[in-house]
Amino acid sequence: MADPSSYRPRPGEIPDSPGVYRFRDEHRRVIYVGKAKSLRQRLANYFQDLANLHPRTRTMVTTAASVEWTVVSTEVEALQLEYSWIKEYDPRFNVKYRDDKSYPYLAVTMNEEFPRVQVMRGHKKKGVRYFGPYAHAWAIRDTVDLLLRVFPVRTCSAGVFKNATRTGRPCLLGYIGKCSAPCVERVSPEDHRELAEEFCDFMAGRTGTYLRRLERQMSDAAEEMEYERAARLRDDIEALKKAMEKNAVVLADATDADLVAVAEDELEAAVQIFHVRGGRVRGQRGWVTDKVEEVTTGALVEHALQQLYGEESGDAVPKEVLVPALPDPVEPVQEWLTGRRGANVSLRVPQRGDKKALMETVERNAQQSLALHKTKRASDLTTRSRALEEIADALVLDSAPLRIECYDISHLQGDDVVASMVVFEDGLARKSEYRRFQIKGFAGQDDVRSMHEVITRRFRRYLAEKEKTGEWGDDENPGAVPDASPDGPDTARSGLQDDDGRPRKFAYPPQLVVVDGGQPQVAAARRALDELGIDDIAVCGLAKRLEEVWLPDDDDPVVLPRSSEGLYLLQRVRDEAHRFAITYQRAKRAKRFRSSPLDDVPGLGETRRQALIKHFGSLKKLRSATIDEICEVPGVGRKTAETVAVALARSTPSAPAVNTATGEIMDDVDLADDAEDMHDATDGDPVTPGSPGAPVPAGAPEDRRGQER
């Protein structure tokens, strides 16, 4: 715990001008970013008597080891720079609204030849029209299902579309009239795009034109005694009205506005946003955040607006933003929003009428969201704090372990041995800092030796990074030798400098290392740290059988009560490490089964490999082909053909492959089919060990699934 007076700037050193400041910890990691109209006045608030500070602010200033600032010209520039740095550094003590990218949108891919209507999440793509966000994906599908009667736009995936084009038969929606079937040329690309444009216009709120047009067509059809057509148009009108009822009119003047409401207590705050377009609620979203310092409602609103519009531009920023309290000062925020939109934006608090009533509805949603969040055990700040304190008491630690790293080893009968490292900060998973390792020091199954290697490699890198910061010299730490070999795809050097505030991959140490296992694994981890001269990091292990906590050099485990929040947190950390390790191990195993001798041919890419297999039908026939026959494949020259022939000759199996389950001799076609089945089984979400669909190597007996860890 640092004393803020040890890094307090000297009097007169801080400029009295707008700017952005950063607090860093002892490892040069940015832990807090803030902006100020006057840097001198703002930073002085942090260096007062600790007893007068908010508990979270006190924790931040005692965790920090230095402070630095950047002067800017205006408060708008400070607002923009603060947002950029928060996105870049992800400081642990800043206001962070969770669940931001989980909300689904109704998207129309206008950047394709045949636009497609679909549900989309995540970052927005160029050339795609978005409507929403919606609270649930099923709400989007219900709306689309109603609108497809009138606007039969394509909704199928690229694979389904290509298959229908190839076979000349549309999908089911094409047969029942809910798709105009551009795949079989029932409509031209121009007509289909016009349909998509009309669909977008209707979703944007321009509904009256289409309803009046359909009503006129229905009347004309009835006058001409085309009663079936009139009935169909009547049903179309009812479908449109039903879709419109799902988004009832809330503001009579066809207003485009976003309403932001906040519900808060001393520890947390919930934000709810209603997106109103054309007077109708077109989308809703909500966030929850921990209050890291004594922050006003106006400041929470300002952070919410940064989160909401930081990546938006143009019409995505509405003409009017209604909030419960204005940021102080309000002018820079309003100017920033105007710059994002490219036109004037009104930021105000509604005082009366329909907008005030709607704001009260949004506030009730925010209060319900905060109450629901409080019931979620894993995300409750008080519960997390209690869990960390229980762990500190049980393991006799000096302070609560704010950063916990957990390691697990995974393999299948000694093959594809890998390890995982997961990170929890303040009791929450920090997935951006997960790492995975391939065991390289030896072959075979030895969990204890594997654990020793992984811990050694991880903390050797930590010592190497610490040495580069100048915190010690080589004579003080002879064990600090960089790990020259890469640990896998997730542990490549980032090239980031320490001054960026984002330490290199292993530069930030934990307060507690947890290993998945009992006394042998714990002893191996402790021995690895001792060999590197590290004695300020606690180590424990969590054994699966009885959920016992093992400490180094203790013959008896620590038994936490089953109802303990500390045990619950350790179990979550251990289970996450196991999930991450076994997912990586399965991916490596699947890749190994899909490997081919052609993969190692230099200069032979994926396209030409597929062309060779498609031309000859199997690897066996390709192996028996002559160089002249290989040259007949489009794109394959004589030099490449000679290289392929040599590579296949070297990889010729000495004996035929045998399916050990059936005794059947397998040729290359069978092996290729098995590899493809393995590819299908491992695509998509990770499969729980032992569950149906968990991949098993070709020819392996069924009970091998139980031997995977």
Side-chain angles (χ1 to χ4, degrees):
M1 181 177 293
D3 183 0
S5 62
S6 63
Y7 62 88
R8 180 174 184 170
R10 292 190 297 272
E13 194 175 52
I14 306 176
D16 187 18
S17 58
V20 182
Y21 55 91
R22 294 177 288 184
F23 281 89
R24 297 178 182 267
D25 64 8
E26 59 180 344
H27 305 286
R28 300 292 298 158
R29 187 179 191 180
V30 174
I31 61 173
Y32 186 75
V33 173
K35 66 173 179 59
K37 181 179 181 180
S38 171
L39 287 169
R40 180 177 301 172
Q41 295 178 14
R42 185 71 182 94
L43 289 176
N45 295 332
Y46 292 102
F47 296 103
Q48 56 180 301
D49 187 355
L50 291 178
N52 297 330
L53 294 176
H54 186 276
R56 293 285 286 178
T57 306
R58 185 165 59 245
T59 303
M60 188 273 289
V61 297
T62 54
T63 302
S66 64
V67 62
E68 58 192 37
W69 54 85
T70 299
V71 176
V72 297
S73 302
T74 65
E75 295 178 61
V76 177
E77 290 183 21
L79 186 72
Q80 293 171 335
L81 184 58
E82 180 195 33
Y83 173 74
S84 299
W85 278 355
I86 289 175
K87 294 289 287 185
E88 180 179 1
Y89 299 132
D90 190 21
R92 59 187 292 190
F93 286 101
N94 271 94
V95 171
K96 287 180 285 190
Y97 293 103
R98 295 184 288 274
D99 299 334
D100 176 27
K101 293 182 173 61
S102 63
Y103 291 90
Y105 285 81
L106 171 58
V108 185
T109 57
M110 301 302 293
N111 55 348
E112 298 183 6
E113 181 184 6
F114 297 100
R116 175 191 177 192
V117 176
Q118 64 183 111
V119 178
M120 275 193 179
R121 300 176 186 263
H123 295 289
K124 294 185 177 180
K125 301 177 181 179
K126 187 176 181 180
V128 179
R129 293 282 302 274
Y130 291 90
F131 303 94
Y134 289 76
H136 303 284
W138 56 262
I140 301 177
R141 297 188 180 97
D142 285 352
T143 301
V144 171
D145 186 63
L146 291 170
L147 295 181
L148 287 180
R149 286 186 54 92
V150 186
F151 309 108
V153 187
R154 167 198 165 206
T155 58
C156 61
S157 65
V160 173
F161 188 89
K162 290 179 181 178
N163 185 61
T165 303
R166 180 177 57 82
T167 60
R169 296 192 303 272
C171 63
L172 177 62
L173 293 180
Y175 282 110
I176 64 176
K178 287 192 174 182
C179 179
S180 55
C183 53
V184 293
E185 299 181 352
R186 286 186 184 173
V187 295
S188 66
E190 294 77 16
D191 291 340
H192 184 268
R193 180 167 293 275
E194 184 178 351
L195 269 177
E197 293 284 0
E198 292 178 350
F199 180 92
C200 293
D201 288 344
F202 186 88
M203 289 301 302
R206 294 181 283 275
T207 58
T209 303
Y210 298 102
L211 285 175
R212 287 192 295 270
R213 186 178 68 185
L214 290 177
E215 288 171 351
R216 186 169 56 253
Q217 291 176 355
M218 181 182 67
S219 299
D220 293 343
E223 289 177 0
E224 297 173 3
M225 293 186 291
E226 296 181 5
Y227 299 118
E228 291 184 0
R229 179 166 168 265
R232 187 168 61 252
L233 290 170
R234 178 202 60 201
D235 294 341
D236 290 348
I237 293 171
E238 292 300 319
L240 289 183
K241 288 182 177 179
K242 190 174 181 181
M244 292 168 60
E245 288 172 0
K246 290 179 176 290
N247 298 311
V249 174
V250 291
L251 299 176
D253 55 353
T255 301
D256 289 346
D258 284 349
L259 290 89
V260 181
V262 178
E264 56 183 314
D265 58 19
E266 293 182 354
L267 297 176
E268 294 177 303
V271 177
Q272 280 286 314
I273 301 100
F274 276 24
H275 302 275
V276 179
R277 299 295 183 268
R280 300 175 183 273
V281 178
R282 296 294 183 181
Q284 173 189 359
R285 69 200 305 180
W287 303 317
V288 179
T289 181
D290 297 332
K291 295 175 69 173
V292 297
E293 61 177 330
E294 193 171 2
V295 61
T296 64
T297 302
L300 287 172
V301 168
E302 180 179 314
H303 287 298
L305 296 179
Q306 286 180 308
Q307 182 91 349
L308 188 60
Y309 303 117
E311 305 292 335
E312 304 292 352
S313 61
D315 291 339
V317 182
K319 299 177 182 178
E320 192 172 6
V321 180
L322 306 178
V323 296
L326 294 175
D328 184 23
V330 67
E331 291 78 12
V333 180
Q334 190 159 351
E335 185 178 343
W336 177 70
L337 290 174
T338 298
R340 303 299 304 179
R341 176 177 170 80
N344 187 54
V345 175
S346 173
L347 179 63
R348 64 186 185 88
V349 179
Q351 301 296 331
R352 64 184 66 85
D354 293 340
K355 294 177 181 178
K356 175 66 174 177
L358 182 58
M359 175 62 77
E360 292 174 354
T361 300
V362 184
E363 288 174 349
R364 286 196 298 272
N365 278 268
Q367 292 166 358
Q368 292 174 0
S369 176
L370 182 61
L372 179 62
H373 171 77
K374 286 295 186 182
T375 65
K376 295 183 178 179
R377 185 181 189 187
S379 297
D380 184 60
L381 178 61
T382 304
T383 304
R384 298 201 312 268
S385 300
R386 186 165 65 249
L388 294 174
E389 290 172 1
E390 289 181 3
I391 292 173
D393 293 340
L395 304 184
V396 197
L397 304 179
D398 295 334
S399 60
L402 296 181
R403 179 183 171 104
I404 300 174
E405 292 181 3
C406 185
Y407 298 82
D408 186 27
I409 309 298
S410 181
H411 57 81
L412 180 64
Q413 292 188 334
D415 294 332
D416 298 319
V417 185
V418 299
S420 67
M421 163 187 146
V422 301
V423 179
F424 275 59
E425 286 191 353
D426 294 333
L428 294 175
R430 195 175 180 90
K431 294 191 176 183
S432 62
E433 299 200 12
Y434 284 14
R435 300 291 177 261
R436 54 195 190 184
F437 302 81
Q438 301 178 44
I439 302 303
K440 304 174 180 178
F442 64 97
Q445 177 179 346
D446 191 336
D447 286 2
V448 175
R449 191 174 173 187
S450 299
M451 186 64 69
H452 181 274
E453 177 183 332
V454 170
I455 298 295
T456 299
R457 285 164 58 184
R458 184 265 184 265
F459 287 98
R460 185 184 296 152
R461 291 282 293 274
Y462 159 61
L463 295 179
E465 299 296 346
K466 193 170 184 180
E467 180 184 358
K468 290 180 182 179
T469 64
E471 295 183 46
W472 57 37
D474 294 342
D475 55 339
E476 297 180 6
N477 184 42
V481 179
D483 188 355
S485 60
D487 295 332
D490 281 8
T491 56
R493 298 300 296 266
S494 66
L496 297 172
Q497 299 300 318
D498 294 321
D499 289 341
D500 282 348
R502 293 175 295 179
R504 298 180 189 272
K505 297 294 186 179
F506 294 99
Y508 199 60
Q511 285 81 46
L512 176 63
V513 167
V514 181
V515 299
D516 184 6
Q519 204 169 18
Q521 286 84 356
V522 174
R526 182 73 266 174
R527 187 172 69 255
L529 293 175
D530 291 341
E531 291 171 357
L532 295 172
I534 300 175
D535 58 2
D536 58 349
I537 297 177
V539 180
C540 74
L542 186 61
K544 287 189 180 71
R545 189 169 64 90
L546 298 176
E547 303 294 5
E548 303 164 328
V549 179
W550 290 89
L551 298 176
D553 304 323
D554 283 1
D555 295 332
D556 297 319
V558 176
V559 179
L560 295 173
R562 288 291 177 177
S563 59
S564 166
E565 293 292 342
L567 178 60
Y568 171 69
L569 177 57
L570 289 176
Q571 288 172 328
R572 285 202 301 123
V573 173
R574 188 268 318 278
D575 293 344
E576 178 69 355
H578 180 71
R579 180 200 66 79
F580 192 54
I582 204 168
T583 301
Y584 181 38
Q585 193 270 338
R586 283 179 174 157
K588 283 182 60 62
R589 191 176 75 219
K591 182 178 179 181
R592 178 164 54 86
F593 282 130
R594 292 197 303 268
S595 64
S596 163
L598 296 177
D599 296 341
D600 300 326
V601 178
L604 190 65
E606 179 65 25
T607 302
R608 290 199 290 178
R609 283 200 299 268
Q610 292 181 358
L612 286 168
I613 295 298
K614 183 177 181 180
H615 181 83
F616 289 100
S618 70
L619 198 62
K620 179 179 180 181
K621 293 180 180 179
L622 175 59
R623 185 177 281 120
S624 61
T626 64
I627 293 178
D628 292 336
E629 291 173 340
I630 297 176
C631 290
E632 295 176 1
V633 178
V636 178
R638 187 165 191 83
K639 185 175 181 180
T640 302
E642 293 173 352
T643 306
V644 169
V646 171
L648 292 177
R650 290 175 178 173
S651 64
T652 302
S654 56
V658 178
N659 187 324
T660 56
T662 63
E664 178 186 3
I665 296 179
M666 304 175 67
D667 59 16
D668 291 324
V669 176
D670 298 327
L671 292 173
D673 291 342
D674 286 343
E676 183 63 29
D677 293 341
M678 181 61 64
H679 172 71
D680 294 339
T682 54
D683 266 348
D685 296 332
V687 184
T688 304
S691 64
V696 179
E702 287 295 323
D703 60 0
R704 283 190 66 182
R705 289 179 179 169
Q707 299 171 17
E708 178 184 40
R709 70 173 312 281

